[in-house]
Amino acid sequence: MRLGDKTIDESRQGEALIVDSNGKGKKLFLESYGCAMNFSDSEIIASILAEDGYSTTKEEKEADLILINTCSIREKAEERVRNRLNSFKKYKRHNPSLVVGMLGCMAERLKDKLLEEEKLVDLVVGPDAYRDLPGLIQKVEAGQKSVNVLLSREETYAEISPVRLDNSGVTAFISIMRGCDNMCSFCVVPFTRGRERSRDPQSIVAEAQDLYNKGYREVTLLGQNVDSYKWNIDKKGVVKDENKPVVRFAELLEMVAKVNPKLRVRFSTSHPKDMIDDVLYTIAKYDNLCKYIHLPVQSGSSSMLKRMNRGYTREWYMDRISAIKRIIPDCELSTDIIAGFCGETEEEHKDTLSLLDEVGFIMAYHFKYSERPRTLAERKYEDDIPEDVKAARLTEIIAIQRKQAASRTKTHVGRVLKVLVEGPSKKNPEEYCGRTTHNSMVIFPKEHAEAGMYVNVKTHDCTTNTLLGTITTQEAEA
Ligand code: 5AD
Ligand code: SF4
């Protein structure tokens, strides 16, 4: 995930986020790999350590403390982190009091190896133990190795006010839940992040309100499976306190939408098995709930979905797509696809291609299957699809998806769309960029636009993923 990224973009797993601010006292260099959730965690970590006197630096050379917030989702992500940790050895030679720590999803599995065997780090802290960081760092400073990888059933960091590391000041992430109970057979997350738990809705609304007051105009609610958000009700549907309201995801969305009509709300990630019509009706009801749903399908084949333990069939998924198109007609969709999962036949792969054609996603993130330790798939199935077949299938997926993305983007050409301005475009500072409710990036001549402002843009052209237009006084249709 890149500094300044405005949306959740799971395909950027492995890209680093480097924290930058100028402070005094002890200096922290913090780098994040992986998903938006990890990025959001880094904002909590920065907050906990700011209380402890640390300011952040983007110069790794001048750091007293280097922390890497790691990702385990695919083998490649782990390799990158290892290389990065190796590259810090040179600073240790010059500055023996430098503390290097590994945080996040790789912590539990690789603690012994990286701490004891390879001695690449002094400190290992799992995703539920960040409150312990100050004490753990002190232990290292006193000459001991320091580890806390315990997962919690309760920790949500609810009342910690994150330090906003994305310095755009327009968009921000809000974590609404942690962990995952789904047990998809390919996925390491339940092992790295533990059991699912939801955060107090009042603290979520307060955070959204505070962001709005500070000038932010878009929040993205984050969780591994947001449709399963629940407060004051347990998994079996038993209400915990009869005197308090039950809040599920639809109600939470409504509460955040009501913070201010000028605060756009996005969310990620939805799970097809849990996405109910109530959520869709709520999205349809509020203009500021963005008309864009990321609904990972993983495969278009029901037999494959069964092996993946996804809890739905192709038909169920297509029914959810029909419901979205019926209830929110002007809504764009994106998805995640895994190519070459265990035992994938040519026919199963073709089912994925046909699903991509049938749905028409404006965006898809696609990955070659990467076997992860401890997962159901590792224990039960053979990772038997040769690398070249995985790569060839991925190429076919990309080709179809590119065509679909271009055709979906084209449907927005000639429209007047409400755009939340994010700032100058990367290529030309005279041009500005921002996103539509459908999450499409729009580029337009600056005129009076400023970051954080809404402007109506008439679009006249597009590339595969980007719209080009000019600011207009005409009223926006979406
Ligand atoms: N191999 C490849 N891709 C994976 N994903 C999750 N686990 C794996 C794995 N073992 C993908 C899924 C998920 C996204 C975040 O990463 O598509 O939705
Ligand atoms: Fe995020 Fe999953 Fe990677 Fe952890 S393993 S950082 S939860 S994508």
Side-chain angles (χ1 to χ4, degrees):
M1 169 123 322
R2 227 166 355 102
L3 188 68
D5 237 356
K6 302 302 182 288
T7 51
I8 296 181
D9 182 344
E10 301 271 22
S11 75
R12 293 213 175 87
Q13 272 144 359
E15 276 191 38
L17 166 100
I18 298 167
V19 174
D20 174 20
S21 85
N22 303 308
K24 298 185 183 70
K26 289 178 277 181
K27 290 217 156 52
L28 158 68
F29 177 84
L30 172 58
E31 198 169 276
S32 273
Y33 291 78
C35 62
M37 201 77 201
N38 236 26
F39 170 75
S40 172
D41 278 4
S42 287
E43 300 193 318
I44 288 165
I45 294 160
S47 172
I48 292 168
L49 289 174
E51 290 277 307
D52 201 40
Y54 281 91
S55 62
T56 49
T57 174
K58 71 170 175 184
E59 294 299 330
E60 53 193 66
K61 297 194 278 297
E62 64 176 38
D64 303 292
L65 171 64
I66 294 180
L67 297 178
I68 305 296
N69 196 2
T70 63
C71 172
S72 286
I73 199 114
R74 283 170 288 276
E75 205 176 342
K76 248 200 191 143
E78 287 195 354
E79 272 167 29
R80 286 194 67 193
V81 168
R82 264 170 174 284
N83 292 340
R84 198 66 182 117
L85 289 172
N86 264 309
S87 79
F88 296 137
K89 278 186 183 159
K90 55 181 181 284
Y91 304 125
K92 276 254 183 205
R93 278 197 293 271
H94 295 127
N95 175 11
S97 66
L98 169 69
V99 176
V100 177
M102 171 172 71
L103 316 184
C105 292
M106 282 168 66
E108 155 65 25
R109 198 171 71 81
L110 292 169
K111 59 180 188 303
D112 295 335
K113 203 160 174 43
L114 299 189
L115 195 73
E116 305 293 346
E117 281 176 42
E118 299 181 26
K119 304 200 186 318
L120 282 178
V121 295
D122 314 291
L123 174 75
V124 175
V125 187
D128 288 341
Y130 297 144
R131 284 180 206 266
D132 260 10
L133 264 166
L136 293 166
I137 294 165
Q138 259 182 14
K139 231 174 117 183
V140 176
E141 284 167 347
Q144 288 168 275
K145 301 269 176 199
S146 207
V147 184
N148 185 349
V149 292
L150 288 179
L151 292 170
S152 154
R153 281 182 176 247
E154 282 94 35
E155 181 63 274
T156 60
Y157 300 110
E159 81 305 340
I160 291 182
S161 179
V163 167
R164 300 295 163 186
L165 301 174
D166 172 346
N167 51 14
S168 77
V170 180
T171 64
F173 294 124
I174 300 182
S175 170
I176 64 163
M177 57 205 294
R178 300 181 70 80
C180 183
D181 283 350
N182 280 334
M183 301 305 272
C184 302
S185 58
F186 51 78
C187 189
V188 77
V189 173
F191 306 99
T192 63
R193 288 190 163 262
R195 301 302 297 268
E196 179 188 293
R197 67 222 98 118
S198 296
R199 177 179 167 191
D200 182 338
Q202 294 306 335
S203 74
I204 296 169
V205 170
E207 191 172 330
Q209 182 67 62
D210 181 54
L211 285 163
Y212 182 80
N213 296 346
K214 289 182 172 141
Y216 286 81
R217 291 296 174 262
E218 184 183 293
V219 294
T220 302
L221 308 182
L222 293 180
Q224 304 296 345
N225 176 5
V226 291
D227 298 283
S228 157
Y229 177 89
K230 51 180 98 52
W231 187 255
N232 194 26
I233 186 165
D234 71 13
K235 257 192 128 174
K236 294 189 187 110
V238 178
V239 177
K240 293 182 183 166
D241 182 344
E242 293 288 349
N243 300 313
K244 289 189 181 150
V246 167
V247 182
R248 293 195 186 80
F249 188 53
E251 288 87 32
L252 180 72
L253 269 182
E254 181 151 35
M255 289 162 76
V256 182
K258 283 179 170 166
V259 165
N260 195 295
K262 282 196 178 146
L263 183 70
R264 272 189 176 171
V265 184
R266 301 187 185 277
F267 54 87
S268 192
T269 298
S270 295
H271 196 300
K273 83 175 160 54
D274 297 320
M275 202 190 61
I276 55 171
D277 290 358
D278 285 7
V279 169
L280 303 178
Y281 285 114
T282 307
I283 297 170
K285 187 168 155 197
Y286 291 91
D287 277 349
N288 58 332
L289 294 183
C290 288
K291 309 298 181 262
Y292 176 84
I293 298 177
H294 181 62
L295 197 62
V297 67
Q298 314 297 359
S299 165
S301 149
S302 292
S303 48
M304 178 56 101
L305 289 167
K306 193 154 200 274
R307 288 207 292 289
M308 289 178 162
N309 201 29
R310 287 288 287 173
Y312 57 87
T313 59
R314 178 189 176 112
E315 290 67 35
W316 173 276
Y317 187 86
M318 290 312 296
D319 171 75
R320 295 295 74 214
I321 296 294
S322 307
I324 295 171
K325 290 184 175 172
R326 184 177 74 247
I327 299 168
I328 324 167
D330 189 21
C331 186
E332 290 298 342
L333 295 155
S334 62
T335 200
D336 290 346
I337 302 280
I338 298 178
F341 182 65
C342 309
E344 187 180 61
T345 63
E346 197 52 35
E347 201 186 339
E348 286 172 328
H349 166 60
K350 290 266 162 11
D351 284 344
T352 297
L353 300 182
S354 74
L355 183 129
L356 288 174
D357 263 336
E358 221 174 295
V359 177
F361 296 101
I362 200 161
M363 175 76 89
Y365 306 104
H366 16 67
F367 315 98
K368 277 189 277 180
Y369 173 58
S370 159
E371 186 176 83
R372 304 314 291 136
R374 293 173 71 191
T375 56
L376 211 67
E378 188 226 16
R379 285 178 277 140
K380 209 167 150 190
Y381 305 120
E382 199 188 332
D383 180 11
D384 55 353
I385 307 300
E387 200 49 35
D388 58 333
V389 177
K390 284 184 186 172
R393 290 181 181 171
L394 197 68
T395 306
E396 286 182 32
I397 288 168
I398 292 170
I400 291 200
Q401 181 46 36
R402 207 166 264 162
K403 243 182 21 219
Q404 285 297 338
S407 115
R408 287 308 315 156
T409 307
K410 224 181 199 162
T411 64
H412 298 288
V413 173
R415 299 181 74 182
V416 177
L417 300 165
K418 189 165 156 188
V419 172
L420 174 59
V421 182
E422 294 188 358
S425 94
K426 263 180 259 146
K427 286 194 192 138
N428 176 358
E430 284 313 299
E431 290 189 322
Y432 263 41
C433 65
R435 286 183 192 271
T436 66
T437 186
H438 312 110
N439 207 32
S440 294
M441 186 56 92
V442 189
I443 312 278
F444 48 90
K446 180 177 189 285
E447 297 188 33
H448 62 281
E450 294 297 340
M453 189 188 260
Y454 286 101
V455 291
N456 294 339
V457 176
K458 171 111 190 201
T459 56
H460 56 73
D461 204 355
C462 68
T463 63
T464 307
N465 297 306
T466 309
L467 290 159
L468 310 173
T470 48
I471 294 181
T472 173
T473 50
Q474 279 171 265
E475 203 171 313
E477 36 169 321

